mmCIF file of all heavy atoms in Angstrom:
data_model
loop_
_atom_site.group_PDB
_atom_site.id
_atom_site.type_symbol
_atom_site.label_atom_id
_atom_site.label_comp_id
_atom_site.label_asym_id
_atom_site.label_seq_id
_atom_site.Cartn_x
_atom_site.Cartn_y
_atom_site.Cartn_z
ATOM 1 N N PRO A 62 21.810 -110.426 -140.876
ATOM 2 C CA PRO A 62 22.702 -110.291 -139.711
ATOM 3 C C PRO A 62 22.922 -108.826 -139.347
ATOM 4 O O PRO A 62 23.073 -107.975 -140.224
ATOM 5 C CB PRO A 62 23.999 -110.942 -140.186
ATOM 6 C CG PRO A 62 23.599 -111.819 -141.329
ATOM 7 C CD PRO A 62 22.463 -111.107 -141.998
ATOM 8 N N PHE A 63 22.932 -108.537 -138.049
ATOM 9 C CA PHE A 63 23.232 -107.203 -137.566
ATOM 10 C C PHE A 63 24.723 -107.090 -137.259
ATOM 11 O O PHE A 63 25.386 -108.082 -136.967
ATOM 12 C CB PHE A 63 22.432 -106.885 -136.299
ATOM 13 C CG PHE A 63 20.941 -106.813 -136.523
ATOM 14 C CD1 PHE A 63 20.063 -107.267 -135.552
ATOM 15 C CD2 PHE A 63 20.421 -106.296 -137.701
ATOM 16 C CE1 PHE A 63 18.693 -107.188 -135.746
ATOM 17 C CE2 PHE A 63 19.051 -106.217 -137.909
ATOM 18 C CZ PHE A 63 18.182 -106.666 -136.915
ATOM 19 N N ALA A 64 25.227 -105.858 -137.308
ATOM 20 C CA ALA A 64 26.640 -105.631 -137.016
ATOM 21 C C ALA A 64 26.936 -105.784 -135.531
ATOM 22 O O ALA A 64 28.041 -106.157 -135.137
ATOM 23 C CB ALA A 64 27.046 -104.243 -137.489
ATOM 24 N N SER A 65 25.958 -105.511 -134.689
ATOM 25 C CA SER A 65 26.168 -105.577 -133.245
ATOM 26 C C SER A 65 26.426 -107.008 -132.784
ATOM 27 O O SER A 65 25.732 -107.939 -133.195
ATOM 28 C CB SER A 65 24.937 -105.029 -132.517
ATOM 29 O OG SER A 65 25.038 -105.271 -131.127
ATOM 30 N N PRO A 66 27.425 -107.208 -131.919
ATOM 31 C CA PRO A 66 27.704 -108.541 -131.390
ATOM 32 C C PRO A 66 26.721 -108.971 -130.310
ATOM 33 O O PRO A 66 26.686 -110.138 -129.913
ATOM 34 C CB PRO A 66 29.117 -108.400 -130.816
ATOM 35 C CG PRO A 66 29.202 -106.968 -130.409
ATOM 36 C CD PRO A 66 28.395 -106.206 -131.424
ATOM 37 N N VAL A 67 25.907 -108.033 -129.819
ATOM 38 C CA VAL A 67 24.947 -108.343 -128.765
ATOM 39 C C VAL A 67 23.740 -109.043 -129.383
ATOM 40 O O VAL A 67 23.160 -108.569 -130.366
ATOM 41 C CB VAL A 67 24.503 -107.058 -128.035
ATOM 42 C CG1 VAL A 67 23.489 -107.389 -126.945
ATOM 43 C CG2 VAL A 67 25.705 -106.331 -127.462
ATOM 44 N N ALA A 68 23.342 -110.173 -128.811
ATOM 45 C CA ALA A 68 22.214 -110.944 -129.335
ATOM 46 C C ALA A 68 20.948 -110.108 -129.345
ATOM 47 O O ALA A 68 20.556 -109.535 -128.331
ATOM 48 C CB ALA A 68 22.013 -112.200 -128.503
ATOM 49 N N SER A 69 20.323 -110.010 -130.503
ATOM 50 C CA SER A 69 19.097 -109.242 -130.649
ATOM 51 C C SER A 69 18.360 -109.722 -131.886
ATOM 52 O O SER A 69 18.971 -109.967 -132.927
ATOM 53 C CB SER A 69 19.413 -107.743 -130.776
ATOM 54 O OG SER A 69 18.236 -106.994 -130.978
ATOM 55 N N THR A 70 17.036 -109.861 -131.796
ATOM 56 C CA THR A 70 16.255 -110.356 -132.938
ATOM 57 C C THR A 70 15.073 -109.439 -133.238
ATOM 58 O O THR A 70 13.955 -109.892 -133.413
ATOM 59 C CB THR A 70 15.746 -111.784 -132.671
ATOM 60 O OG1 THR A 70 15.016 -111.793 -131.421
ATOM 61 C CG2 THR A 70 16.871 -112.784 -132.601
ATOM 62 N N HIS A 71 15.327 -108.139 -133.263
ATOM 63 C CA HIS A 71 14.282 -107.192 -133.660
ATOM 64 C C HIS A 71 14.255 -107.087 -135.189
ATOM 65 O O HIS A 71 15.092 -107.672 -135.884
ATOM 66 C CB HIS A 71 14.532 -105.831 -133.019
ATOM 67 C CG HIS A 71 15.877 -105.250 -133.344
ATOM 68 N ND1 HIS A 71 16.147 -104.606 -134.521
ATOM 69 C CD2 HIS A 71 17.039 -105.246 -132.636
ATOM 70 C CE1 HIS A 71 17.402 -104.203 -134.544
ATOM 71 N NE2 HIS A 71 17.978 -104.591 -133.416
ATOM 72 N N LEU A 72 13.322 -106.322 -135.731
ATOM 73 C CA LEU A 72 13.234 -106.133 -137.172
ATOM 74 C C LEU A 72 14.322 -105.186 -137.655
ATOM 75 O O LEU A 72 14.660 -104.207 -136.980
ATOM 76 C CB LEU A 72 11.866 -105.567 -137.558
ATOM 77 C CG LEU A 72 10.651 -106.479 -137.375
ATOM 78 C CD1 LEU A 72 9.384 -105.725 -137.717
ATOM 79 C CD2 LEU A 72 10.776 -107.728 -138.214
#
Side-chain angles (χ1 to χ4, degrees):
F63 294 144
S65 171
V67 179
S69 177
T70 54
H71 57 80
L72 292 176

